[in-house]
């Protein structure tokens, strides 16, 4: 019996450790500095949920200040700290930049 | 003659196929219709109601506009079109700001755009996908009444069309990709 208990205990430890590794890998996928997917695929997968956040008026694939590093840019109609807290800082390995741009208007009239 | 839906088509409750398209616009002639010339007639397509674009097209009145693809301040464009790319240098010629230059700052934008209803003055919103983003600091590239300007490569001669500008704010301007516009209208570009 002691031998069986020891085997069960070791199995549980292995199972728990495996779970920790899997969780860590999933977390790494969402925060990795090296994206696995094309930025446009990531954008298409997340644009609706981002636009559902209050005062978000747009999202696009752009670049960081260096004009080279790809990033997701989220546009806000006005400064809204609560909305800014809801917007992830990284999505699928791409940094997210928040811009307060104002409302986007059709420019058909004076 | 290519333009924005709201520029030529009103709010789709007023304008009809065959309506005269005048130049200059009424606002530039103190709303005196007699001071403007009829240069085309509207071919109604209702892009805002039925597509991912804000565009309209008019049949030209013979002899009233150039037919070789020449744009004031830009010259004759290419009959070929170009996809937008990040950091690409671009320009446009518009009613309010004239010829201005900028660069593509983003691609594939999903944007929620506010439109003003001409009939009751209310605001409604439409979401567009896959739009071109152009840097527009302090409205220096595009501002009110510039909608319908053709976004082209910043090269000369014969730049290729990239998009049809229709919206913006104080930091960015937005254009429908020209391929989508032409597909919706069933049109091709003129030019060299």
């Amino acid at each position: 019996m002691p031998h069986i208990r020891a085997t069960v205990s070791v199995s549980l430890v292995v199972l728990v450790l495996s779970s920790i590794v899997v969780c860590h890998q999933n977390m790494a996928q969402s925060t990795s500095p090296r994206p696995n997917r094309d930025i446009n695929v990531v954008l298409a997968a997340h644009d609706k949920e981002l636009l559902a956040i209050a005062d978000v008026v747009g999202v696009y694939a752009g670049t960081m200040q260096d004009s080279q590093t790809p990033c997701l840019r989220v546009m806000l109609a006005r400064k809204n700290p609560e909305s800014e807290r809801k917007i992830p800082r990284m999505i699928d390995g791409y940094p997210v930049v928040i811009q307060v741009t104002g409302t986007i208007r059709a420019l058909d009239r004076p | 003659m290519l333009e924005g839906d709201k520029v030529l088509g009103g709010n789709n409750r007023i304008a009809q196929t065959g309506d005269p398209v005048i130049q200059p616009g009424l606002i530039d002639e103190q709303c005196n219709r007699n001071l403007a010339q009829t240069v085309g007639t509207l071919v109604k397509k209702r892009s805002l109601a039925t597509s991912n674009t804000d565009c309209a097209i008019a049949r030209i009145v013979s002899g009233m506009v150039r037919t070789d693809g020449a744009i004031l301040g830009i010259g004759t464009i290419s009959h070929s079109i170009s996809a937008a790319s990040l950091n690409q240098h671009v320009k446009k010629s518009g009613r309010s700001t004239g010829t201005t230059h900028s660069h593509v700052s983003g691609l594939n934008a999903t944007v929620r755009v506010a439109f003003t209803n001409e009939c009751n003055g209310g605001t409604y919103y439409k979401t567009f996908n896959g739009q071109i983003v152009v840097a527009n600091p302090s409205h220096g590239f595009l501002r009110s009444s510039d909608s319908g300007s053709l976004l082209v490569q910043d090269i000369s001669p014969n730049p290729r069309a990239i998009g049809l500008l229709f919206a913006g704010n104080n930091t960015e301007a937005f254009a429908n990709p020209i391929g989508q516009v032409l597909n919706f209208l069933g049109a091709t570009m003129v030019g060299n």
Side-chain angles (χ1 to χ4, degrees):
Chain A
M1 284 299 279
H3 176 70
I4 293 173
R5 269 198 212 113
T7 305
V8 170
S9 298
V10 168
S11 300
L12 281 173
V13 168
V14 169
L15 189 62
V16 169
L17 284 175
S18 303
S19 301
I20 290 170
V21 169
V22 169
C23 286
H24 179 72
Q25 283 174 341
N26 287 341
M27 187 70 77
Q29 276 184 347
S30 63
T31 58
S32 167
R34 289 190 178 178
N36 293 322
R37 297 195 291 174
D38 180 86
I39 193 167
N40 294 305
V41 175
V42 174
L43 183 61
H46 293 277
D47 62 347
K48 287 183 182 62
E49 66 197 47
L50 289 167
L51 277 162
I53 298 170
D55 288 328
V56 171
V57 292
V59 55
Y60 63 92
T63 59
M64 303 290 282
Q65 287 277 25
D66 62 5
S67 299
Q68 299 213 338
T69 308
C71 72
L72 296 172
R73 287 189 171 263
V74 178
M75 295 179 282
L76 285 176
R78 62 187 63 80
K79 190 158 180 60
N80 183 332
E82 191 177 333
S83 292
E84 290 180 39
R85 273 195 296 274
K86 290 179 180 173
I87 298 169
R89 293 299 180 267
M90 187 82 86
I91 299 179
D92 286 0
Y94 290 99
V96 177
V97 177
I98 299 170
Q99 300 172 257
V100 179
T101 64
T103 300
I104 301 170
R105 296 187 185 284
L107 298 176
D108 55 298
R109 52 172 55 205
Chain B
M1 186 185 306
L2 182 62
E3 257 293 2
D5 189 338
K6 293 278 285 182
V7 177
L8 284 191
N11 66 359
N12 291 317
R13 291 168 61 191
I14 302 170
Q16 299 297 330
T17 290
D19 282 357
V21 174
I22 60 172
Q23 194 177 53
L26 284 174
I27 192 165
D28 294 318
E29 297 293 355
Q30 295 75 50
C31 286
N32 185 344
R33 168 70 180 83
N34 296 325
L35 297 176
Q37 298 174 307
T38 299
V39 296
T41 54
L42 179 68
V43 180
K44 192 170 180 179
K45 293 283 189 179
R46 303 187 73 237
S47 68
L48 276 178
T50 62
S51 81
N52 188 44
T53 64
D54 176 357
C55 62
I57 198 166
R59 183 170 287 113
I60 62 166
V61 173
S62 181
M64 296 305 288
V65 295
R66 288 178 65 163
T67 57
D68 61 355
I71 297 173
L72 185 67
I74 288 178
T76 303
I77 61 171
S78 168
H79 68 272
S80 300
I81 63 173
S82 172
S85 58
L86 274 176
N87 300 318
Q88 182 178 24
H89 293 282
V90 294
K91 61 185 173 182
K92 72 99 186 65
S93 175
R95 176 260 179 197
S96 298
T97 53
T99 304
T100 52
H101 305 254
S102 188
H103 68 275
V104 174
S105 57
L107 297 170
N108 214 9
T110 301
V111 287
R112 189 165 177 259
V113 179
F115 289 85
T116 302
N117 191 314
E118 288 179 14
C119 288
N120 61 25
T123 298
Y124 65 95
Y125 295 87
K126 179 176 169 65
T127 299
F128 297 81
N129 301 306
Q131 303 302 301
I132 301 165
V133 188
V134 181
N136 189 34
S138 304
H139 278 120
F141 179 69
L142 193 80
R143 64 171 55 239
S144 299
S145 294
D146 277 334
S147 270
S149 303
L150 193 66
L151 182 72
V152 301
Q153 297 169 314
D154 194 1
I155 61 170
S156 190
N158 309 134
R160 292 183 178 190
I162 297 168
L164 189 64
L165 290 151
F166 74 106
N169 53 30
N170 209 30
T171 62
E172 316 288 350
F174 301 92
N176 302 143
I178 193 65
Q180 282 188 25
V181 170
L182 296 177
N183 281 343
F184 176 75
L185 296 172
T188 56
M189 302 299 297
V190 293
N192 285 339

Short mmCIF file of all heavy atoms in Angstrom, two decimals, chain B residues 126-160:
data_model
loop_
_atom_site.label_atom_id
_atom_site.label_comp_id
_atom_site.label_asym_id
_atom_site.label_seq_id
_atom_site.Cartn_x
_atom_site.Cartn_y
_atom_site.Cartn_z
N LYS B 126 -21.28 54.75 -38.99
CA LYS B 126 -21.08 53.56 -39.83
C LYS B 126 -19.66 53.06 -39.59
O LYS B 126 -18.72 53.85 -39.54
CB LYS B 126 -21.31 53.89 -41.30
CG LYS B 126 -21.09 52.70 -42.24
CD LYS B 126 -21.41 53.05 -43.68
CE LYS B 126 -20.94 51.98 -44.66
NZ LYS B 126 -21.64 50.70 -44.52
N THR B 127 -19.53 51.74 -39.46
CA THR B 127 -18.21 51.15 -39.26
C THR B 127 -17.68 50.60 -40.58
O THR B 127 -18.39 49.91 -41.31
CB THR B 127 -18.28 50.02 -38.21
OG1 THR B 127 -18.73 50.58 -36.98
CG2 THR B 127 -16.92 49.38 -37.99
N PHE B 128 -16.44 50.97 -40.88
CA PHE B 128 -15.76 50.51 -42.10
C PHE B 128 -14.59 49.62 -41.72
O PHE B 128 -13.91 49.88 -40.71
CB PHE B 128 -15.22 51.70 -42.90
CG PHE B 128 -16.26 52.65 -43.41
CD1 PHE B 128 -16.81 53.62 -42.58
CD2 PHE B 128 -16.71 52.58 -44.72
CE1 PHE B 128 -17.77 54.51 -43.05
CE2 PHE B 128 -17.68 53.46 -45.20
CZ PHE B 128 -18.21 54.43 -44.36
N ASN B 129 -14.31 48.62 -42.53
CA ASN B 129 -13.17 47.73 -42.30
C ASN B 129 -12.14 47.91 -43.40
O ASN B 129 -12.47 48.33 -44.51
CB ASN B 129 -13.63 46.27 -42.28
CG ASN B 129 -14.67 46.02 -41.21
OD1 ASN B 129 -14.44 46.32 -40.06
ND2 ASN B 129 -15.81 45.49 -41.60
N GLY B 130 -10.90 47.55 -43.09
CA GLY B 130 -9.87 47.50 -44.11
C GLY B 130 -9.48 48.83 -44.71
O GLY B 130 -9.08 48.91 -45.88
N GLN B 131 -9.56 49.90 -43.92
CA GLN B 131 -9.31 51.24 -44.45
C GLN B 131 -7.84 51.64 -44.37
O GLN B 131 -7.07 51.14 -43.55
CB GLN B 131 -10.15 52.26 -43.69
CG GLN B 131 -11.64 51.96 -43.72
CD GLN B 131 -12.20 51.90 -45.13
OE1 GLN B 131 -12.12 52.84 -45.89
NE2 GLN B 131 -12.76 50.74 -45.50
N ILE B 132 -7.47 52.57 -45.24
CA ILE B 132 -6.10 53.11 -45.26
C ILE B 132 -6.02 54.30 -44.30
O ILE B 132 -6.92 55.16 -44.30
CB ILE B 132 -5.74 53.58 -46.69
CG1 ILE B 132 -5.84 52.42 -47.68
CG2 ILE B 132 -4.33 54.19 -46.71
CD1 ILE B 132 -5.84 52.87 -49.14
N VAL B 133 -4.96 54.36 -43.49
CA VAL B 133 -4.77 55.45 -42.54
C VAL B 133 -3.63 56.34 -43.03
O VAL B 133 -2.55 55.85 -43.39
CB VAL B 133 -4.42 54.90 -41.14
CG1 VAL B 133 -4.41 56.03 -40.11
CG2 VAL B 133 -5.40 53.81 -40.73
N VAL B 134 -3.87 57.65 -43.05
CA VAL B 134 -2.86 58.62 -43.50
C VAL B 134 -2.64 59.63 -42.38
O VAL B 134 -3.62 60.12 -41.78
CB VAL B 134 -3.33 59.34 -44.78
CG1 VAL B 134 -2.26 60.34 -45.25
CG2 VAL B 134 -3.64 58.35 -45.89
N ALA B 135 -1.38 59.93 -42.10
CA ALA B 135 -1.09 60.91 -41.04
C ALA B 135 -1.71 62.26 -41.39
O ALA B 135 -1.57 62.75 -42.51
CB ALA B 135 0.42 61.05 -40.89
N ASN B 136 -2.42 62.84 -40.40
CA ASN B 136 -3.16 64.07 -40.64
C ASN B 136 -3.02 65.03 -39.46
O ASN B 136 -4.00 65.48 -38.87
CB ASN B 136 -4.65 63.74 -40.88
CG ASN B 136 -5.46 64.92 -41.35
OD1 ASN B 136 -4.96 65.77 -42.09
ND2 ASN B 136 -6.72 64.96 -40.95
N PRO B 137 -1.76 65.35 -39.07
CA PRO B 137 -1.58 66.19 -37.87
C PRO B 137 -2.23 67.55 -38.04
O PRO B 137 -2.02 68.23 -39.04
CB PRO B 137 -0.05 66.28 -37.74
CG PRO B 137 0.49 65.94 -39.09
CD PRO B 137 -0.49 65.00 -39.71
N SER B 138 -3.04 67.91 -37.06
CA SER B 138 -3.74 69.20 -37.04
C SER B 138 -4.53 69.45 -38.32
O SER B 138 -4.64 70.59 -38.79
CB SER B 138 -2.74 70.35 -36.81
OG SER B 138 -2.02 70.14 -35.63
N HIS B 139 -5.09 68.39 -38.88
CA HIS B 139 -5.88 68.49 -40.12
C HIS B 139 -5.07 69.09 -41.27
O HIS B 139 -5.63 69.69 -42.19
CB HIS B 139 -7.15 69.34 -39.91
CG HIS B 139 -8.27 68.56 -39.30
ND1 HIS B 139 -8.85 68.89 -38.10
CD2 HIS B 139 -8.92 67.46 -39.73
CE1 HIS B 139 -9.81 68.03 -37.81
NE2 HIS B 139 -9.87 67.15 -38.78
N GLY B 140 -3.75 68.94 -41.23
CA GLY B 140 -2.92 69.54 -42.26
C GLY B 140 -3.01 68.85 -43.60
O GLY B 140 -2.72 69.46 -44.65
N PHE B 141 -3.39 67.59 -43.61
CA PHE B 141 -3.49 66.87 -44.88
C PHE B 141 -4.92 66.89 -45.41
O PHE B 141 -5.14 67.08 -46.61
CB PHE B 141 -3.04 65.42 -44.69
CG PHE B 141 -3.14 64.58 -45.93
CD1 PHE B 141 -2.30 64.81 -47.00
CD2 PHE B 141 -4.08 63.56 -46.03
CE1 PHE B 141 -2.40 64.04 -48.17
CE2 PHE B 141 -4.19 62.79 -47.18
CZ PHE B 141 -3.34 63.03 -48.25
N LEU B 142 -5.89 66.71 -44.54
CA LEU B 142 -7.28 66.60 -44.97
C LEU B 142 -8.18 67.26 -43.94
O LEU B 142 -8.03 67.03 -42.74
CB LEU B 142 -7.67 65.12 -45.10
CG LEU B 142 -8.96 64.80 -45.82
CD1 LEU B 142 -8.76 64.84 -47.33
CD2 LEU B 142 -9.50 63.42 -45.42
N ARG B 143 -9.10 68.09 -44.40
CA ARG B 143 -10.06 68.69 -43.47
C ARG B 143 -11.45 68.73 -44.10
O ARG B 143 -11.66 68.19 -45.19
CB ARG B 143 -9.60 70.08 -43.02
CG ARG B 143 -9.53 71.12 -44.09
CD ARG B 143 -9.28 72.51 -43.49
NE ARG B 143 -8.09 72.54 -42.65
CZ ARG B 143 -8.10 72.89 -41.35
NH1 ARG B 143 -9.24 73.22 -40.77
NH2 ARG B 143 -6.99 72.94 -40.65
N SER B 144 -12.37 69.37 -43.41
CA SER B 144 -13.76 69.40 -43.86
C SER B 144 -13.87 69.83 -45.31
O SER B 144 -13.18 70.75 -45.76
CB SER B 144 -14.57 70.36 -42.98
OG SER B 144 -14.55 69.92 -41.65
N SER B 145 -14.77 69.18 -46.04
CA SER B 145 -15.04 69.43 -47.46
C SER B 145 -13.94 68.93 -48.39
O SER B 145 -13.95 69.23 -49.57
CB SER B 145 -15.31 70.91 -47.74
OG SER B 145 -16.49 71.32 -47.10
N ASP B 146 -12.98 68.16 -47.85
CA ASP B 146 -11.99 67.51 -48.71
C ASP B 146 -12.40 66.09 -49.07
O ASP B 146 -11.70 65.43 -49.86
CB ASP B 146 -10.63 67.46 -48.00
CG ASP B 146 -9.83 68.75 -48.17
OD1 ASP B 146 -10.06 69.47 -49.16
OD2 ASP B 146 -8.98 69.04 -47.30
N SER B 147 -13.48 65.59 -48.49
CA SER B 147 -13.92 64.23 -48.81
C SER B 147 -14.09 64.07 -50.31
O SER B 147 -14.54 64.99 -51.00
CB SER B 147 -15.25 63.92 -48.13
OG SER B 147 -15.06 63.37 -46.87
N GLY B 148 -13.76 62.90 -50.79
CA GLY B 148 -13.86 62.63 -52.22
C GLY B 148 -12.57 62.88 -52.96
O GLY B 148 -12.47 62.61 -54.15
N SER B 149 -11.55 63.36 -52.23
CA SER B 149 -10.23 63.55 -52.86
C SER B 149 -9.61 62.18 -53.14
O SER B 149 -9.69 61.27 -52.32
CB SER B 149 -9.29 64.32 -51.95
OG SER B 149 -9.84 65.57 -51.60
N LEU B 150 -8.95 62.09 -54.28
CA LEU B 150 -8.27 60.84 -54.63
C LEU B 150 -6.90 60.82 -53.97
O LEU B 150 -6.11 61.75 -54.10
CB LEU B 150 -8.12 60.75 -56.15
CG LEU B 150 -7.71 59.39 -56.72
CD1 LEU B 150 -8.79 58.34 -56.49
CD2 LEU B 150 -7.38 59.50 -58.20
N LEU B 151 -6.60 59.74 -53.24
CA LEU B 151 -5.29 59.55 -52.62
C LEU B 151 -4.39 58.87 -53.63
O LEU B 151 -4.73 57.80 -54.15
CB LEU B 151 -5.43 58.68 -51.37
CG LEU B 151 -4.16 58.40 -50.56
CD1 LEU B 151 -3.72 59.66 -49.81
CD2 LEU B 151 -4.40 57.25 -49.57
N VAL B 152 -3.26 59.50 -53.94
CA VAL B 152 -2.37 58.95 -54.98
C VAL B 152 -0.94 58.88 -54.45
O VAL B 152 -0.58 59.51 -53.44
CB VAL B 152 -2.41 59.80 -56.28
CG1 VAL B 152 -3.82 59.88 -56.84
CG2 VAL B 152 -1.84 61.21 -56.04
N GLN B 153 -0.11 58.12 -55.17
CA GLN B 153 1.32 58.06 -54.85
C GLN B 153 1.92 59.47 -54.97
O GLN B 153 1.55 60.22 -55.88
CB GLN B 153 2.05 57.15 -55.83
CG GLN B 153 1.62 55.70 -55.83
CD GLN B 153 2.21 54.97 -57.03
OE1 GLN B 153 2.18 55.46 -58.16
NE2 GLN B 153 2.75 53.79 -56.78
N ASP B 154 2.86 59.79 -54.09
CA ASP B 154 3.52 61.10 -54.18
C ASP B 154 4.70 61.02 -55.14
O ASP B 154 5.87 61.16 -54.74
CB ASP B 154 3.97 61.58 -52.80
CG ASP B 154 4.33 63.05 -52.81
OD1 ASP B 154 4.22 63.69 -53.88
OD2 ASP B 154 4.71 63.57 -51.75
N ILE B 155 4.38 60.77 -56.39
CA ILE B 155 5.39 60.75 -57.45
C ILE B 155 4.84 61.56 -58.62
O ILE B 155 3.66 61.87 -58.67
CB ILE B 155 5.72 59.32 -57.93
CG1 ILE B 155 4.47 58.63 -58.51
CG2 ILE B 155 6.31 58.50 -56.79
CD1 ILE B 155 4.75 57.32 -59.21
N SER B 156 5.72 61.89 -59.54
CA SER B 156 5.29 62.63 -60.72
C SER B 156 6.19 62.24 -61.89
O SER B 156 7.40 62.10 -61.71
CB SER B 156 5.41 64.13 -60.45
OG SER B 156 4.80 64.86 -61.47
N PRO B 157 5.70 62.03 -63.07
CA PRO B 157 4.30 62.15 -63.45
C PRO B 157 3.54 60.83 -63.24
O PRO B 157 4.13 59.83 -62.88
CB PRO B 157 4.40 62.46 -64.95
CG PRO B 157 5.60 61.69 -65.40
CD PRO B 157 6.57 61.76 -64.23
N ASN B 158 2.27 60.90 -63.47
CA ASN B 158 1.38 59.74 -63.52
C ASN B 158 1.36 58.89 -62.25
O ASN B 158 1.62 57.68 -62.31
CB ASN B 158 1.74 58.86 -64.73
CG ASN B 158 1.81 59.64 -66.03
OD1 ASN B 158 2.74 59.48 -66.81
ND2 ASN B 158 0.83 60.50 -66.27
N PRO B 159 1.06 59.50 -61.11
CA PRO B 159 0.93 58.69 -59.90
C PRO B 159 -0.26 57.74 -60.00
O PRO B 159 -1.26 58.04 -60.66
CB PRO B 159 0.71 59.73 -58.81
CG PRO B 159 0.08 60.87 -59.51
CD PRO B 159 0.71 60.91 -60.88
N ARG B 160 -0.14 56.62 -59.32
CA ARG B 160 -1.26 55.67 -59.29
C ARG B 160 -2.21 56.01 -58.15
O ARG B 160 -1.77 56.43 -57.07
CB ARG B 160 -0.73 54.25 -59.08
CG ARG B 160 0.06 53.71 -60.25
CD ARG B 160 0.48 52.29 -60.00
NE ARG B 160 1.20 51.76 -61.15
CZ ARG B 160 1.53 50.49 -61.30
NH1 ARG B 160 1.20 49.60 -60.36
NH2 ARG B 160 2.17 50.08 -62.37
#
